[in-house]
Amino acid sequence: MTGHPTFAATGRADAVTQAYVDQAKPPLTQELVERVRKALAETLDPPDGTGSEGDLPGRLNAALDAFEAELRSIVGPRVASLDTATGAVTMEHRSEAGQPLRAFGGQ
């Protein structure tokens, strides 16, 4: 990655998108993958320039929440951490009572 902020945000959005898509249920179509990528890129590098590194996982997870709420049929993991220097992403599953959330019917 370079120091160019848009490229850096795009690379990070790609990394988070791939980590999410790998574990999302049911599998996402290419169109949905692009929608997730776009939402995450806008979260990382908002057009109004208000983005900051503070609570980055929380902001990314809010974008994933909005994506899933809109579709009501996809569930996937959430960002536990994102190393902004290397793009390494750690994901975690949301759960209740030790059971992962399920698509099409919740818990």
Side-chain angles (χ1 to χ4, degrees):
M1 262 190 240
T2 67
H4 189 275
T6 302
F7 180 76
T10 302
R12 290 181 288 178
D14 289 346
V16 175
T17 299
Q18 190 59 51
Y20 176 80
V21 168
D22 287 347
Q23 299 178 47
K25 302 286 187 232
L28 278 66
T29 64
Q30 192 58 41
E31 176 188 345
L32 293 176
V33 170
E34 290 306 316
R35 284 174 60 183
V36 170
R37 185 182 328 276
K38 182 180 179 199
L40 295 173
E42 288 175 358
T43 298
L44 288 163
D45 189 21
D48 61 5
T50 59
S52 71
E53 298 301 320
D55 192 29
L56 192 52
R59 291 187 298 120
L60 292 168
N61 289 335
L64 292 172
D65 289 344
F67 170 75
E68 289 181 2
E70 179 184 339
L71 295 176
R72 298 175 149 188
S73 61
I74 306 279
V75 296
R78 291 299 182 264
V79 178
S81 67
L82 171 63
D83 184 328
T84 57
T86 65
V89 182
T90 303
M91 303 296 278
E92 64 186 3
H93 284 282
R94 300 169 295 156
S95 68
E96 289 184 22
Q99 301 298 314
L101 295 176
R102 297 181 307 246
F104 309 112
Q107 294 291 322

